[in-house]
Amino acid sequence: MVNEAIKKLVCYALERNLIEEADVIFTTNQLLEVLQIEEYEEPKETYENVELEPVLKELLDYAYEHGVLEENGVVYRDLFDTKLMAKLLPRPSEVMEKFWNIYHSEGPKAATDFYYQLSQDSDYIRRYRIAKDVKWKSQTPYGEMDITINLSKPEKDPKAIAAAKNAKQSGYPKCLLCMENEGYAGRINHPARQNHRIIPVTIQDSKWGFQYSPYVYYNEHCIVFNSQHIPMKIEHGTFCKLFDFVKQFPHYIVGSNADLPIVGGSILSHDHFQGGSYEFAMAKAPIEREFAVAGFEDVKAGVVKWPMSVIRIAGKDTERLIALADKILNAWRGYTDKDAFIFAETEGEPHNTITPIARKRGDMYEMDLVLRNNITTEEHPLGVYHPHAELHHIKKENIGLIEVMGLAVLPARLKDELETLADAIVNKKDIRADETIEKHADWVEKFLPKYEKVTQENVMDILHKEIALVFSKVLEHAGVYKRNEEGQQAFDRFLASL
């Protein structure tokens, strides 16, 4: 059986153009070495349309049964199957050469198509896990938002958690975004990356890396990161780099998380952007009202109809857009409006920053500048401009770049909770009596009267629709200027100050 599985894996590599016919014996021997197999007879059969997950499962089960794999938890299995996949892949230099050859002969889109396919075929992006994510689109007052319940990050088993706690802390690689991850074997508390290939790119005369996110929250979800492990910073150079990337890959959007805790992303210690080939709800949102900035009459500027406070600037000349973005950033960094509860700093701690997103639309370049503020109070210890406590039953985590643009990344717990909740609603059970879903009781009581008839057939659609409305509220909470007359007047005061 194991011989068949090895042959299937080699056939998979051939089918996916990861290896060539001349590599077959070499690759087979590499796999035998990892599996510590000394006797092998090649099956006569040739396998087509090989499905990767069951083949890897068979090899992992064999490795565990024969003592090659010490533990059988998901963390250990992931470390081991990555080691197997690494034996099927070309060296980084070959991947880079192929990428840039395609880029120069067929264009940037063909190059990223090749690289995205490779990142999936190598199992760096685990397609069979991504397929488990629960995803839907739902109408809100701000257009159709994307909602995803993220199930593709595996839950660690208790053994692995205990082992990670006792593991020696290593400073190599410094973080998950460092160049040194390429080819790294991984450990209990750091994923294996032997099947990972990074494309080096030059941005504003400095060395950066380009890769895809292994969790692809949306189509071609990519990460562009500094080759140096230096912290996130929103500044003049950020705007220059975002447009430099968009000019090299005009079919991609790219944005940066803010550079302050609470309103920033999960990795503030390493300078990076996120982008991809996807049109988010925010990009589709129209301009609500236009305004002009003195000295920048040639640049189109307006406020976007969006739950957060977004300024969109557009024009053909990126230099002019960068200059105006600079002006807005510097003004916002130092801006205080006590009546609107906006403080540039308190006790020397800065609060104001921006989440910028760049894109090309036709022959025009655009940049969305999302105003952020991370002040906390006793009433809102996690942040005044952060989802408030009454929404934590759905979303408590930071609102980073992806959410800002209109894609909710919701915690895995919601999948089971929604199923339990749907059953309770349809069968009129007491939601407060079940501790797994009691946190949703107030919410359900509020929205349920809107619906005349709730049945087994429509209950999940109703819950999905209501979750999207909660998410639009989450974004309203994260917006520094509220979506009422008073809030928009305060927004206009800031725009007038420019």
Side-chain angles (χ1 to χ4, degrees):
M1 288 296 282
V2 72
N3 289 358
E4 282 177 19
I6 290 166
K7 177 80 184 271
K8 280 179 183 172
L9 196 53
V10 173
C11 289
Y12 169 88
L14 276 169
E15 266 192 314
R16 302 282 171 170
N17 297 317
L18 299 174
I19 63 170
E20 293 180 22
E21 203 63 58
D23 303 319
V24 167
I25 293 171
F26 176 83
T27 304
T28 304
N29 285 330
Q30 296 276 296
L31 293 171
L32 293 173
E33 182 190 353
V34 175
L35 291 159
Q36 295 175 24
I37 293 173
E38 289 178 11
E39 295 292 333
Y40 176 73
E41 195 173 320
E42 187 186 347
K44 303 250 182 301
E45 202 174 333
T46 301
Y47 301 97
E48 289 177 359
N49 303 319
V50 175
E51 249 189 273
L52 187 58
E53 188 184 18
V55 174
L56 288 176
K57 183 186 181 305
E58 202 175 319
L59 292 172
L60 288 165
D61 291 347
Y62 170 89
Y64 179 62
E65 282 156 21
H66 290 77
V68 181
L69 178 59
E70 288 166 34
E71 296 284 352
N72 205 23
V74 66
V75 173
Y76 297 92
R77 288 173 74 95
D78 281 4
L79 289 170
F80 194 82
D81 69 11
T82 306
K83 202 178 194 174
L84 289 171
M85 291 305 296
K87 302 300 180 190
L88 312 179
L89 293 186
R91 284 186 170 262
S93 55
E94 295 169 55
V95 175
M96 291 170 202
E97 187 182 6
K98 188 163 184 184
F99 177 91
W100 288 111
N101 282 345
I102 295 172
Y103 182 97
H104 294 301
S105 61
E106 299 172 48
K109 188 180 180 310
T112 56
D113 284 350
F114 150 73
Y115 180 46
Y116 191 52
Q117 192 62 48
L118 174 77
S119 300
Q120 295 172 82
D121 292 342
S122 67
D123 208 34
Y124 163 73
I125 294 172
R126 295 173 183 261
R127 280 178 282 220
Y128 43 89
R129 281 202 190 141
I130 307 293
K132 292 175 185 165
D133 286 348
V134 180
K135 296 181 176 185
W136 71 91
K137 288 176 183 288
S138 220
Q139 212 48 51
T140 74
Y142 306 99
E144 198 176 52
M145 300 247 191
D146 289 285
I147 315 289
T148 173
I149 297 175
N150 173 35
L151 304 170
S152 52
K153 278 189 186 177
E155 297 283 332
K156 289 184 179 174
D157 53 277
K159 256 188 181 174
I161 292 169
K165 201 176 167 188
N166 300 325
K168 192 165 117 329
Q169 287 304 308
S170 165
Y172 180 88
K174 287 197 179 84
C175 79
L176 290 167
L177 291 180
C178 284
M179 285 282 192
E180 289 76 13
N181 282 282
E182 189 176 41
Y184 184 62
R187 48 183 196 269
I188 302 303
N189 51 6
H190 193 107
R193 291 287 182 252
Q194 293 118 308
N195 59 348
H196 181 35
R197 299 293 178 263
I198 296 168
I199 302 297
V201 289
T202 302
I203 298 181
Q204 291 288 297
D205 301 322
S206 59
K207 283 169 71 173
W208 282 58
F210 167 59
Q211 66 184 41
Y212 290 104
S213 161
Y215 305 113
V216 285
Y217 291 133
Y218 51 87
N219 188 45
E220 294 173 54
H221 175 185
C222 69
I223 300 170
V224 189
F225 57 99
N226 201 314
S227 64
Q228 305 294 312
H229 181 78
I230 54 175
M232 299 280 290
K233 196 162 169 47
I234 302 294
E235 57 186 0
H236 168 79
T238 311
F239 305 138
C240 299
K241 288 176 187 121
L242 290 173
F243 277 127
D244 194 353
F245 181 80
V246 169
K247 284 177 180 175
Q248 292 180 60
F249 299 94
H251 59 300
Y252 276 4
I253 59 132
V254 68
S256 173
N257 263 307
D259 54 357
L260 293 177
I262 297 174
V263 296
S266 53
I267 303 181
L268 289 175
S269 61
H270 196 127
D271 195 15
H272 71 285
F273 308 141
Q274 293 182 78
S277 174
Y278 193 68
E279 191 174 25
F280 287 87
M282 190 173 87
K284 295 177 191 168
I287 293 284
E288 207 164 36
R289 58 188 185 277
E290 292 192 358
F291 66 92
V293 179
F296 290 92
E297 291 80 5
D298 55 322
V299 178
K300 281 179 75 167
V303 172
V304 179
K305 186 188 174 190
W306 194 244
M308 295 182 74
S309 311
V310 186
I311 295 167
R312 179 171 296 157
I313 58 176
K316 288 185 179 177
D317 182 355
T318 53
E319 292 299 317
R320 295 291 290 152
L321 296 183
I322 291 164
L324 180 51
D326 263 350
K327 187 178 172 71
I328 293 168
L329 173 67
N330 293 331
W332 180 245
R333 287 259 195 226
Y335 188 76
T336 291
D337 180 347
K338 288 178 182 153
D339 294 339
F341 203 77
I342 287 166
F343 297 89
E345 48 120 30
T346 52
E347 294 170 13
E349 189 196 333
H351 296 303
N352 288 353
T353 184
I354 275 175
T355 301
I357 299 107
R359 66 180 79 86
K360 191 174 188 205
R361 211 189 282 268
D363 60 351
M364 298 276 275
Y365 289 96
E366 275 182 7
M367 184 170 269
D368 286 351
L369 302 163
V370 187
L371 306 180
R372 311 297 301 272
N373 178 294
N374 77 343
I375 198 166
T376 58
T377 60
E378 273 182 30
E379 191 192 349
H380 300 296
L382 296 178
V384 172
Y385 305 108
H386 176 89
H388 293 172
E390 71 266 23
L391 305 180
H392 288 181
H393 66 105
I394 300 292
K395 177 78 178 170
K396 186 181 182 176
E397 299 76 15
N398 288 356
I399 301 306
L401 172 69
I402 294 170
E403 278 97 358
V404 165
M405 296 190 290
L407 190 157
V409 181
L410 302 179
R413 64 173 170 84
L414 278 173
K415 182 181 184 285
D416 293 341
E417 287 174 19
L418 287 183
E419 284 166 11
T420 310
L421 198 55
D423 174 64
I425 292 170
V426 171
N427 296 305
K428 300 189 167 48
K429 293 180 187 171
D430 180 4
I431 293 170
R432 292 183 196 280
D434 183 336
E435 60 178 28
T436 63
I437 55 169
E438 63 175 335
K439 58 178 162 296
H440 300 300
D442 290 350
W443 170 56
V444 174
E445 279 170 18
K446 242 184 214 148
F447 75 67
L448 216 48
K450 287 198 293 195
Y451 301 94
E452 272 176 42
K453 205 173 173 199
V454 181
T455 63
Q456 196 70 51
E457 287 69 43
N458 73 358
V459 64
M460 204 48 97
D461 287 343
I462 289 170
L463 284 169
H464 282 177
K465 185 176 166 183
E466 292 297 328
I467 281 181
L469 295 174
V470 170
F471 179 57
S472 67
K473 282 233 161 47
V474 161
L475 295 184
E476 284 175 356
H477 285 191
V480 290
Y481 293 116
K482 299 309 158 198
R483 297 287 309 163
N484 53 28
E485 197 179 337
E486 193 186 349
Q488 294 306 296
Q489 282 173 356
F491 198 167
D492 286 340
R493 286 200 295 277
F494 169 65
L495 299 177
S497 78
L498 297 170

